[in-house]
Amino acid sequence: MAQSNLYSRVLGTGSYLPADRVTNQDLADRLAKQGVETSDEWIVARTGIHARHFAAADQTTSDLALFASNNAIEAAGVDPQSIDLIIVATSTPDFVFPSTACLLQNKLGIKNNGAAFDVQAVCSGFAYAVAIADSLIRSGAHRTALIVGAETFSRILDFNDRTTCVLFGDGAGAIVMQASDEPGVLASALHADGSYSDILCTPGNVNGGVVAGSAFLHMDGQAVFKLAVNVLEKVAVEALEKAQLTAEDIDWLIPHQANIRIMQSTCRKLRLPQERMVVTVGEHGNTSAASIPLALDVAVRDGRIKRGQNVLIEGVGGGFTWGASVFRY
Ligand code: UT7
């Protein structure tokens, strides 16, 4: 029987943004040609977003995930063949099936028959995936996990709907976690409330060879905003209490990067100085499940996040779902 492990620890991080960087002005110019009015001023004032990246026409979510994963594997210094668990958090998979995680395993050339599956919790997907991987590693069932958040949200955006199409971008972030005697993930908390499924959804499915319903993202922005501000504070406090820490013990807060106003409000409610929050929404837009690992990788690589520091990640998104994890980096 496999022996249980004390902790799962982050060994390395990686990320990838597609080459096509689209500024608010670029987007406003494109939209104006089809009679949709928006402006850099509106987008910056309401969201804090200045630019986002869009995948090339021939790039899929697993392609973005592959770049991010290779970066994370290199940073972790592990043999890819030792990775016995791959979890991809995504709402924009390459196919209905097989999972993006299985496609990624094949692209990485991993032949060890470890587990690979996708997690569908929209913008909370990465927080969900970290909590799942931590449980599977601590139970002794798996030893080395590749956890990825990867999205091509541009594919489900309705570019005639200015209330949503200016908000999202494409990208991928990844981490490698491994069993360890040293502290890693300290606590996690996950939640969902399906009664809010209609305020943020892409309500289409494949039926009889065609898409039935709508394959575009729909959002009631104000309803999502209110719920997000409320649950992000609660789930952060819950994860901190489980870890027997307070907000003062947190070196870095990495919230889901959807809207700077939601992020600043969460930071204020937790009484954390804004300088301790990692902010990438301005350059990435909302990349859904990719937003947290993208921000994590940016702050690790620019030297802000150091070994031994406590990091709090938290996500909120469609479902409705929300979750948080505290880990010692
Ligand atoms: O990733 C999952 C989590 N998602 C989120 O956290 C998103 C949460 N929601 C939000 O971030 C905000 O609600 C939005 C950024 C989506 C919208 O901001 P808001 O301050 O709630 O604006 P609003 O929806 O109240 O719209 C204000 C005005 C409206 O015009 P009127 O009715 O006041 O004349 C909109 O039609 O802004 C208009 N508007 C725009 N104007 C220019 C909406 N979108 C645009 C746009 N450009 N792109």
Side-chain angles (χ1 to χ4, degrees), residues 105-169:
Q105 185 204 50
N106 186 45
K107 287 183 178 183
L108 286 164
I110 295 175
K111 305 277 184 206
N112 62 16
N113 297 345
F117 59 91
D118 288 0
V119 164
Q120 158 57 296
V122 201
C123 305
S124 313
F126 188 76
Y128 266 61
V130 167
I132 295 165
D134 176 53
S135 295
L136 288 173
I137 290 174
R138 279 191 297 108
S139 75
H142 293 270
R143 183 173 160 71
T144 306
L146 171 66
I147 304 150
V148 187
E151 301 281 14
T152 47
F153 255 54
S154 59
R155 306 274 154 76
I156 55 168
L157 294 178
D158 176 357
F159 285 94
N160 287 309
D161 176 8
R162 67 177 184 172
T163 68
T164 54
C165 74
V166 302
L167 305 175
F168 295 89

Side-chain angles (χ1 to χ4, degrees), residues 29-37 158-161 165:
D29 292 344
R30 283 187 206 179
L31 296 180
K33 288 186 189 138
Q34 59 201 57
V36 176
E37 198 186 318
D158 176 357
F159 285 94
N160 287 309
D161 176 8
C165 74

